[in-house]
Amino acid sequence: MLTKRIIPCLDCDLQVPEGRVVKGVEFKQIRYAGNPVELATKYYEDGADEIVILDITASHERRGTMVDVIERLTENVFIPICVGGGIRKVEDYTRMLKAGADKCSTNTAAIHNPQLLTDASKVVGSQAVVIGIDAKRRYVEEDREAAKGKTIVDTDQGEVWFDCSIYGGREFTGMDAIAWAQECQDRGAGEVLLTSMDGDGTKDGYDLVLTKAINDNVDIPVIASGGVGNPQHILEAFEVADASAALAASIFHFNEYPVPVVKKFLKEKGVPIRETF
């Protein structure tokens, strides 16, 4: 049986030379959380299975800064590293992989140019191509016209579809997240990094309906993200939504539930995990 993965996420602001990790609520209300190299090293030593590093201030000018951060980080961190933010062309994938990353996640660029996924998967392999999907619930009852042609999902709050956002949640596309995930898989993406914009930073739990809906419609691994507040939420992502991995930030950054505590809890609940505690 494949083990479930626990993945700390480092949202990096690269406007300072060494980078700094920040955390927000629903992609806003940003606060400082630490140094990326120091945090990544801590999570590796704590037994994290992978680490996701997202450049939330991505621009061409700061691409060199992220390369430097990845090079320094991978000197002492020996688990898979996924880099996202500003991955716009195949050369960005190869540059990050040469710096020491194992995978690259892209969202906005892939929506603007879906061929990027096809081209990148041919060059670096599907296992290194992660599609980031930042999705928000849209209630059918509130706008039936917008819901036409979308994949409708029943929830306790009513029928919804899921809208893809870009530019770090600052713009919505009107694209059906479920259909988009299927297309990304067809184009060669090897994994989905799925973030609920409604849940992000709230600590109310993952959007299990969203996670399960995507997972049920693709054959590639799905990483649940957005809203975790405690180990029970991670258990639900695995047991209810059958996610392959659970991503978290706040509970790790501010030492509310360290990685070993989460893994011990999951182990006691019978979840197959890589033991490191």
Side-chain angles (χ1 to χ4, degrees):
M1 182 180 295
L2 291 176
T3 57
K4 301 292 189 178
R5 292 168 289 149
I6 302 301
I7 306 177
C9 179
L10 310 181
D11 290 328
C12 283
D13 173 2
L14 299 178
Q15 296 183 83
V16 295
E18 70 278 6
R20 57 188 174 187
V21 178
V22 297
K23 188 67 191 91
V25 177
E26 295 183 28
F27 288 43
K28 302 171 185 176
Q29 302 174 35
I30 304 297
R31 59 175 173 157
Y32 176 70
N35 175 282
V37 174
E38 293 174 358
L39 280 177
T41 302
K42 176 185 184 301
Y43 295 143
Y44 165 62
E45 293 172 347
D46 280 352
D49 299 297
E50 298 183 16
I51 295 174
V52 168
I53 302 175
L54 301 177
D55 174 2
I56 63 168
T57 54
S59 74
H60 177 71
E61 290 76 19
R62 286 193 281 270
R63 189 59 44 237
T65 304
M66 179 58 97
V67 167
D68 180 60
V69 168
I70 297 302
E71 287 177 340
R72 288 187 289 118
L73 185 153
T74 53
E75 288 178 2
N76 297 301
V77 174
F78 305 104
I79 53 177
I81 303 295
C82 177
V83 177
I87 306 297
R88 300 185 179 96
K89 51 188 183 296
V90 174
E91 291 77 12
D92 293 327
Y93 287 83
T94 56
R95 184 178 298 116
M96 290 302 169
L97 267 56
K98 287 178 181 177
D102 300 273
K103 312 173 186 179
C104 289
S105 175
T106 187
N107 174 9
T108 304
I111 285 180
H112 286 319
N113 175 28
Q115 184 65 29
L116 173 63
L117 299 174
T118 307
D119 295 342
S121 65
K122 290 177 180 177
V123 174
V124 299
S126 291
Q127 80 288 341
V129 178
V130 178
I131 181 65
I133 298 179
D134 298 337
K136 187 173 182 62
R137 289 188 178 200
R138 300 298 188 193
Y139 288 90
V140 174
E141 192 63 38
E142 295 177 2
D143 191 342
R144 292 195 172 275
E145 189 64 29
K148 286 183 179 179
K150 305 297 195 303
T151 307
I152 306 301
V153 181
D154 287 325
T155 75
D156 292 341
Q157 294 76 38
E159 294 183 323
V160 303
W161 62 278
F162 296 98
D163 189 355
C164 292
S165 71
I166 54 177
Y167 298 118
R170 290 186 289 274
E171 185 177 316
F172 288 94
T173 64
M175 289 175 58
D176 180 344
I178 295 174
W180 173 234
Q182 293 171 318
E183 179 179 345
C184 292
Q185 173 181 270
D186 293 342
R187 287 183 172 276
E191 191 166 34
V192 179
L193 173 50
L194 177 65
T195 301
S196 163
M197 288 195 63
D198 301 290
D200 180 66
T202 64
K203 298 186 181 179
D204 293 332
Y206 298 110
D207 188 330
L208 300 175
V209 174
L210 167 64
T211 307
K212 188 175 190 307
I214 296 287
N215 190 60
D216 286 349
N217 282 277
V218 298
D219 299 317
I220 55 179
V222 175
I223 303 171
S225 172
V228 63
N230 56 57
Q232 179 65 32
H233 291 153
I234 295 176
L235 178 65
E236 291 167 356
F238 294 147
E239 291 191 339
V240 178
D242 197 26
S244 296
L247 180 146
S250 297
I251 65 169
F252 296 145
H253 296 342
F254 304 112
N255 214 36
E256 296 165 11
Y257 297 96
V259 172
V261 171
V262 171
K263 284 200 160 189
K264 188 172 185 294
F265 171 82
L266 295 172
K267 172 70 173 176
E268 291 171 350
K269 295 297 184 179
V271 176
I273 58 168
R274 182 176 66 91
E275 293 187 41
T276 52
F277 49 86

